[in-house]
Amino acid sequence: MPTPPPPTSWDFALDRVPQGEDLIGIGADLDVATLFEAYSIGVFPMGIGDQGAEPIGWWSPDPRGVLRPRELVVSRSLRKAMAHFEVRVDTEFRSVVEACAAPDREGRWITDDIVDAYVELHDAGWAHSVETWQDGVLVGGLYGVAIGGLFAGESMFHHVRDASKVALVGLCALLRADDDPRRLVDVQWQTPHLATLGVLEVPRDEYLATLPTVLSAPLPACWA
């Protein structure tokens, strides 16, 4: 099991954030200790400048998009598509993050500093990728942060239809393996597309209240 970093000196002050306000602070850094603390209390970074440029914003959406792994909706067509992919874990973490950060991607927010920070977090044992491959080529995937029973999804990409969805199916299979009901996938914000896959919205207060229980679960065996 990876070793938790020392406490960060930054105060995210969630108790002073109004309901419905997603942006809870600006500044701090992207050190492993800061990121670990942030995710542990329901906060994540994303730059507020153009295409994610500095300054770094710290976010805790209200409401929050969440997915219980056992509640993932897998359509018949997606189930058929799964047969055409190989799912791997943590074999090309940086490549997955860089693909999510592609400059021509609409809504791009992942900067070089974010890439480097999450690679460092991955090296420390807290960030992971679930990848989809075809004929030895990386064609899709997702990455996020795993602490206890929480998988905080950051981004996903696909170069082949359904490749990112299959990665999500693979992630949920990993999280369901021990049938621990405490496990949760945090997707930050619900979208119409994610709603079709079973993602629900919950008030931030509810999310934060359940987070200690989620974190009390052990890491999935593949990352322990």
Side-chain angles (χ1 to χ4, degrees):
M1 178 176 175
T3 303
T8 182
S9 60
W10 299 105
D11 178 10
F12 290 100
L14 269 172
D15 58 332
R16 299 196 292 273
V17 179
Q19 289 185 344
E21 177 62 62
D22 293 354
L23 180 64
I24 64 100
I26 297 173
D29 55 45
L30 295 172
D31 291 349
V32 168
T34 306
L35 291 172
F36 182 88
E37 175 72 14
Y39 284 98
S40 297
I41 62 171
V43 177
F44 59 88
M46 182 171 61
I48 63 174
D50 185 43
Q51 294 190 323
E54 292 184 340
I56 293 294
W58 295 90
W59 305 79
S60 186
D62 188 16
R64 192 84 168 220
V66 299
L67 172 66
R68 293 285 179 183
R70 292 180 294 180
E71 297 175 2
L72 176 69
V73 176
V74 182
S75 67
R76 183 177 302 176
S77 61
L78 178 56
R79 199 172 299 278
K80 290 181 179 179
M82 291 166 57
H84 300 288
F85 298 93
E86 176 190 359
V87 177
R88 303 181 189 176
V89 176
D90 284 344
T91 66
E92 287 288 348
F93 181 84
R94 177 180 280 274
S95 295
V96 170
V97 182
E98 288 178 343
C100 291
D104 59 349
R105 189 171 184 184
E106 184 178 354
R108 177 180 181 263
W109 60 271
I110 301 172
T111 63
D112 291 343
D113 287 343
I114 290 285
V115 174
D116 291 341
Y118 282 82
V119 169
E120 186 175 356
L121 196 62
H122 169 69
D123 292 341
W126 299 108
H128 302 281
S129 60
V130 180
E131 309 145 9
T132 44
W133 294 73
Q134 282 186 340
D135 300 323
V137 177
L138 177 66
V139 294
L142 59 84
Y143 78 96
V145 178
I147 304 175
L150 173 70
F151 188 89
E154 279 297 306
S155 189
M156 57 174 58
F157 82 98
H158 68 276
H159 295 321
V160 173
R161 183 177 178 179
D162 291 328
S164 58
K165 293 181 186 178
V166 172
L168 181 60
V169 174
L171 169 66
C172 288
L174 291 172
L175 300 180
R176 290 197 312 266
D178 62 359
D179 203 31
D180 191 323
R182 292 172 290 181
R183 301 198 183 283
L184 184 72
V185 180
D186 168 20
V187 303
Q188 302 174 351
W189 288 280
Q190 184 200 60
T191 65
H193 167 65
L194 290 175
T196 67
L197 297 171
V199 171
L200 302 175
E201 285 188 329
V202 299
R204 178 170 56 219
D205 287 350
E206 180 180 329
Y207 175 81
L208 297 179
T210 61
L211 192 54
T213 299
V214 174
L215 296 175
S216 71
L219 279 169
C222 59
W223 295 321

